[in-house]
Amino acid sequence: MHQKVLILDFGSQYTQLIARRIRELNIYSEIIPYNKAPESLEAYKAVILSGSPHSVRGENPPKIDLTKYRQNLPLLGICYGAQYLASEAGGEVKPSKIREYGRANLTQIEQTSALMQGVELNSQVWMSHSDTISALPVTCKKIASTADVENAAFVFENEQTFGIQFHPEVYHSTDGIKVLENFLVQIAHFDQDWTPNAFVEETVEDLKAQIQGDSVILGLSGGVDSTVAAVLLHKAIGDRLHCIFVNNGLLRKNEFEQVLEQYKGFGLNVKGVDAGARFLSELEGVSDPEQKRKTIGRVFVDVFDSESKLVSDAKWLAQGTIYPDVIESVSATGGPSATIKSHHNVGGLPDYMKLKVVEPLRKLFKDEVRRIGATLGIAPSILGRHPFPGPGLGIRILGDITSDKVRMLQEVDAIFIDGLKKWELYDKVWQAGAMLLPVQSVGVMGDERTYENCVALRAVESTDGMTADWVNFPHEFLQSISNEIINKVKGVNRVVYDISSKPPATIEWE
């Protein structure tokens, strides 16, 4: 059993990034909502209290019994967690004079503090709060400040209990990983043994024990997640894994045939099911984004229900669900975070489908999945494939879906993706695609007036999909792609490029 960090989630959208940063240190972390905290702490070696959209000064702020944690395990409060520690111990939390959001620099550091050792003076940190700790409890000692935040970090004297007002988990906190390493390795004395090799070995053994002699059906997509899940399962149960690749009519151009060809060298049982006409029929007249997702998910499950009956001893449905899917569909493990959007492969199966769900990647971020895939020997060309949403082009066609719109967007998308590869930009991008907008605009082509469709190109840089920045492509590339799309794709006379980051936008438009 690996030593574990317990992260108590108070509802912050950054909570998942805490887990990811900790895993970069080869330490396993587990997120549990504050209101479902475990009765026993025997499985944990340290505890972290997350941030929160709530205020400790509010009417019903999230609360836990701190006596259960303080002096029992090393304890670190981040942002709201720090304010809660200070407030409950007799300190004072007041509204900030200004909302402290964005970059700041550490102007004072207590270098003798175990938490702050090796953190550079004037190093950048990321603030995101509207309250501030105006007075520390008498039992606390300040260990860091910024120009605007006097009590940016503190420690309870004679305890391994710390609070930090900034967010060490985000990229913008340049020494944030060092703070987490100090807390977990130097203070809590974790062994850094949660590695890709260890994950593979343990997951294969867990899958053998979970599935035993049953057969499993896996929904294959051709992407990184389902491929890694398939290879892990094949390693555990061999030919009792039955992979099904469904054409939902919303795939990229020629993708159905290409993916089936791709898997011929894997030694997997793979069956292609062309259900495109069925999906498009069910989607006729549906324009609401959530309804589209749910319709696609429902038909997807129906197809698998039919296919599962053709495998006599199939008891399980395997999916390549990963952590961001779960986070954005429901608060992680049922906690207080806000729902952003539903995912077709999250949330279980209807009662009539007599399959149990197995999701070997459910707790992994995308970059972790790629590392696991490399350990399993999967080709870089597959591991480097851009993420593609389960509902496919269905959520890249804004408004209702028709077969003509699908064909139009497939052509646009193919030109964009092929262009990225020709310009040697594909591997520098996390995810890219085109959106067909419910907008028509006037144009001039061949001295004639046109009134045709507008498409938006989208490309982002990211490491885990939780946050993302738009890619600043060379203007010459965008000009070339725009010209090619307008010249070759009938029905499109305008191309725009999306320069929104996540947050506040999401990567997909729906």
Side-chain angles (χ1 to χ4, degrees):
M1 293 294 291
H2 290 282
Q3 300 168 331
K4 294 194 292 188
V5 182
L6 171 61
I7 303 172
L8 289 179
D9 179 19
F10 289 102
S12 170
Q13 293 296 329
Y14 288 150
T15 302
Q16 324 310 325
L17 296 182
I18 301 174
R20 185 177 165 274
R21 289 296 185 204
I22 290 172
R23 293 176 190 191
E24 288 180 4
L25 295 168
N26 293 331
I27 296 170
Y28 185 72
S29 57
E30 184 174 79
I31 298 171
I32 296 181
Y34 78 94
N35 53 357
K36 297 183 179 180
E39 289 296 323
S40 172
L41 297 177
E42 289 183 6
Y44 304 100
K45 196 174 173 66
V47 179
I48 292 178
L49 309 180
S50 82
S52 175
H54 299 279
S55 166
V56 297
R57 301 178 300 100
E59 291 184 8
N60 294 297
K63 289 188 174 184
I64 58 172
D65 180 7
L66 286 172
T67 61
K68 182 177 177 179
Y69 304 96
R70 282 184 55 186
Q71 299 190 22
N72 290 326
L73 288 173
L75 179 63
L76 174 65
I78 296 175
C79 197
Y80 175 90
Q83 294 172 359
Y84 184 63
L85 284 171
S87 177
E88 290 294 294
E92 190 172 46
V93 177
K94 290 184 175 180
S96 304
K97 293 181 181 178
I98 58 171
R99 188 170 188 270
E100 292 160 346
Y101 181 85
R103 296 171 177 83
N105 296 91
L106 296 176
T107 56
Q108 184 270 324
I109 296 174
E110 179 56 63
Q111 292 287 358
T112 60
S113 166
L115 187 69
M116 303 304 291
Q117 285 183 10
V119 177
E120 296 288 335
L121 189 64
N122 292 318
S123 64
Q124 179 179 280
V125 294
W126 184 262
M127 297 288 186
S128 181
H129 56 270
S130 54
D131 288 341
T132 195
I133 302 169
S134 55
L136 289 172
V138 294
T139 55
C140 287
K141 176 184 176 183
K142 178 181 69 177
I143 55 176
S145 303
T146 70
D148 294 319
V149 181
E150 177 69 16
N151 300 304
F154 59 91
V155 59
F156 282 78
E157 296 185 283
N158 302 316
E159 290 186 35
Q160 291 182 319
T161 302
F162 303 84
I164 50 177
Q165 186 60 79
F166 58 91
H167 287 270
E169 68 273 24
V170 303
Y171 172 80
H172 304 86
S173 291
T174 53
D175 283 339
I177 193 71
K178 183 62 179 174
V179 172
L180 292 172
E181 182 180 20
N182 286 342
F183 176 66
L184 296 171
V185 179
Q186 304 305 323
I187 296 168
H189 304 296
F190 271 86
D191 296 327
Q192 294 172 276
D193 60 356
W194 197 72
T195 63
N197 281 328
F199 177 85
V200 169
E201 292 173 8
E202 292 162 16
T203 301
V204 167
E205 292 306 311
D206 289 345
L207 290 170
K208 288 178 179 177
Q210 182 181 12
I211 297 166
Q212 297 184 2
D214 298 336
S215 289
V216 177
I217 294 176
L218 168 69
L220 214 52
S221 71
V224 178
D225 304 331
S226 66
T227 301
V228 173
V231 175
L232 271 173
L233 281 158
H234 186 256
K235 196 175 179 67
I237 65 172
D239 289 342
R240 287 184 287 117
L241 173 66
H242 299 263
C243 299
I244 299 170
F245 177 46
V246 175
N247 179 11
N248 60 9
L250 302 166
L251 302 176
R252 286 176 155 151
K253 184 179 180 181
N254 299 326
E255 188 171 23
F256 185 55
E257 296 78 13
Q258 290 170 356
V259 168
L260 290 175
E261 183 67 25
Q262 168 184 295
Y263 284 114
K264 285 185 176 178
F266 275 72
L268 302 172
N269 294 325
V270 180
K271 178 182 180 181
V273 179
D274 190 351
R278 180 176 176 182
F279 277 86
L280 291 175
S281 174
E282 294 280 351
L283 286 164
E284 186 176 354
V286 179
S287 58
D288 178 75
E290 277 296 288
Q291 191 60 42
K292 284 196 287 187
R293 285 177 176 271
K294 289 173 181 176
T295 299
I296 293 167
R298 173 176 55 78
V299 180
F300 179 82
V301 170
D302 288 345
V303 170
F304 266 84
D305 185 42
S306 299
E307 291 299 325
S308 70
K309 293 172 181 175
L310 303 178
V311 181
S312 59
D313 57 346
K315 302 289 179 61
W316 299 85
L317 173 64
Q319 297 185 139
T321 309
I322 63 172
Y323 221 170
D325 297 337
V326 178
I327 295 160
E328 291 192 332
S329 291
V330 291
S331 162
T333 60
S337 299
T339 297
I340 298 172
K341 58 188 176 183
S342 66
H343 287 258
H344 78 285
N345 58 341
V346 177
L349 299 171
D351 292 339
Y352 68 80
M353 192 170 182
K354 307 303 181 185
L355 294 176
K356 295 174 284 187
V357 175
V358 57
E359 297 170 316
L361 309 179
R362 187 179 177 88
K363 292 295 185 181
L364 297 182
F365 292 100
K366 179 72 77 173
D367 53 328
E368 293 178 301
V369 175
R370 287 194 169 106
R371 288 198 293 271
I372 299 301
T375 298
L376 291 166
I378 297 172
S381 60
I382 296 176
L383 295 179
R385 186 177 186 263
H386 290 177
F388 188 64
L393 300 181
I395 57 169
R396 292 183 177 179
I397 297 171
L398 277 63
D400 67 316
I401 299 169
T402 67
S403 57
D404 287 341
K405 288 181 180 180
V406 172
R407 282 193 292 271
M408 188 185 304
L409 189 56
Q410 284 176 332
E411 294 298 329
V412 171
D413 179 85
I415 290 171
F416 186 28
I417 299 302
D418 289 346
L420 288 172
K421 293 175 179 177
K422 290 175 185 175
W423 285 66
E424 298 184 350
L425 295 168
Y426 185 86
D427 292 335
K428 299 176 182 178
V429 173
W430 161 268
Q431 185 169 345
M435 320 295 161
L436 181 60
L437 307 185
V439 172
Q440 289 186 313
S441 65
V442 173
V444 178
M445 300 178 74
D447 293 328
E448 293 183 359
R449 178 185 184 275
T450 62
Y451 192 63
E452 294 180 336
N453 296 283
C454 175
V455 295
L457 306 183
R458 178 82 158 134
V460 297
E461 298 170 316
S462 183
T463 54
D464 52 31
M466 295 300 298
T467 60
D469 289 323
W470 61 278
V471 178
N472 190 7
F473 285 130
H475 290 180
E476 295 82 3
F477 168 74
L478 292 174
Q479 182 183 44
S480 172
I481 296 300
S482 175
N483 287 343
E484 188 172 355
I485 289 171
I486 292 172
N487 287 334
K488 291 184 177 180
V489 183
K490 186 177 181 181
V492 175
N493 70 352
R494 191 175 298 270
V495 177
V496 298
Y497 184 55
D498 182 350
I499 58 170
S500 308
S501 295
K502 176 186 179 181
T506 54
I507 294 176
E508 299 295 339
W509 279 43
E510 289 191 340

